[in-house]
Amino acid sequence: MFGRRRFEVKTTDQLRHMRAAGLVVANALRAAAAATSPGATTADVDRAAARVIADAGAKPSFLGYHGYPAQVCVSVNDEVIHGIPGPRVLAVGDLVSIDCGAIVRGWHGDAAVTVACGGRTDDASARLSEVTKEALWAGIAAARVGATVGDIGHAVASTVAAAGEGYGIVDGFTGHGIGSAMHMDPDVPNVGRPGRGPRLVAGMAIAIEPMITLGGDDTDTLSDGWTVVTSTGARAAHWEHTVAITPAGPWVLTAVDGGGLADGVALASLG
Ligand code: MF3
Ligand code: CO
């Protein structure tokens, strides 16, 4: 618009690589979720994802990122994000958020899921995860050419508000642009006003990642320098996808089905 691009706009070839990275992340998260069973450690969850990333010939993006020591983040119960995998033993009903990133030919994918260890948890935790996932998909639906980053935040926050009282939208952490690096401009907050913020153009890619709690929006960082926990001790959920903005609609690079948009249709719409 001003002859100068503020954000990285991808070519179709670059988005093909991001799609490949996104599918590696999707498969790694599926394996990690399957490894989230009673008696397993959070290190076991990390190993399950690491195996998929290695088998795909991809590179883990978290390992070594600002010194981060693992390939996924495993955040349990009151841990919101950036939990470091280790000897912690998981129990039935634990609410476990798993965040994973991978690189293919220099292009990044980043996604997170929340799962109940053993496939069941208390009703409030189960609902929290559902609401967070719903908020993610509302944000994704708003990620259209010509819309703004504020539209996405508004969609996320209003979905959480509509779910009822008592949910907190974590303060101080946001989604982000993604492409040749994991974290790029623009920030993609989980709150926003319609029509405000940077405008989305075809070929941009962003990671949308609501982090929602069962009480409060304040967090603390543990002495390990990484693990972010809710200040109230309430449980939290985290869902994330990497999304490409295309004229045919949001292309969810880290969802196996592309978020309902076929790869060929998405790529063709980009020219
Ligand atoms: N993937 C996280 C995010 O969603 C960041 C992970 S930080 C790391 O933005 F250090 F663990 F890599
Ligand atoms: Co992210």
Side-chain angles (χ1 to χ4, degrees):
M1 221 176 281
F2 300 100
R4 187 185 287 267
R5 289 196 315 230
R6 278 193 298 164
F7 307 117
E8 185 175 77
V9 172
K10 283 70 165 166
T11 66
T12 51
D13 276 345
Q14 291 166 344
L15 285 175
R16 276 181 226 276
H17 300 325
M18 288 189 70
R19 175 60 166 152
L23 288 173
V24 173
V25 169
N27 291 329
L29 282 175
R30 194 162 43 190
T36 304
S37 53
T41 66
T42 54
D44 292 330
V45 177
D46 184 62
R47 267 190 291 276
R51 191 169 309 120
V52 172
I53 294 171
D55 287 352
K59 216 182 114 180
S61 48
F62 292 10
L63 189 64
Y65 181 82
H66 293 282
Y68 187 75
Q71 302 205 15
V72 298
C73 302
V74 184
S75 307
V76 185
N77 298 338
D78 64 318
E79 299 174 353
V80 186
I81 49 170
H82 301 170
I84 301 174
R88 179 174 185 159
V89 177
L90 296 167
V92 177
D94 280 345
L95 192 65
V96 183
S97 298
I98 310 165
D99 191 347
C100 179
I103 309 168
V104 170
R105 293 173 183 254
W107 294 90
H108 287 249
D110 182 10
V113 298
T114 296
V115 297
C117 179
R120 57 203 157 90
T121 187
D122 61 277
D123 289 349
S125 298
R127 177 88 183 117
L128 168 67
S129 181
E130 279 313 303
V131 166
T132 307
K133 186 181 185 178
E134 226 177 89
L136 166 60
W137 282 96
I140 290 169
R144 301 188 162 272
V145 174
T148 68
V149 168
D151 292 329
I152 295 173
H154 178 73
V156 168
S158 49
T159 300
V160 174
E165 301 282 307
Y167 294 107
I169 299 175
V170 171
D171 208 15
F173 296 93
T174 68
H176 47 92
I178 181 169
S180 60
M182 176 164 60
H183 290 144
M184 307 183 80
D185 287 335
D187 286 345
V188 181
N190 293 313
V191 295
R193 288 166 63 182
R196 300 299 182 94
R199 204 159 284 283
L200 303 172
V201 303
M204 278 176 70
I206 54 175
I208 304 174
E209 48 179 319
M211 291 154 266
I212 311 299
T213 81
L214 281 177
D217 46 23
D218 281 347
T219 58
D220 300 297
T221 303
L222 298 186
S223 58
D224 62 17
W226 282 101
T227 313
V228 175
V229 299
T230 60
S231 298
T232 60
R235 287 185 168 196
H238 178 212
W239 282 86
E240 175 179 21
H241 272 305
T242 295
V243 183
I245 310 303
T246 88
W251 182 21
V252 186
L253 302 174
T254 45
V256 171
D257 73 351
L261 185 61
D263 293 4
V265 175
L267 286 164
S269 78
L270 288 156

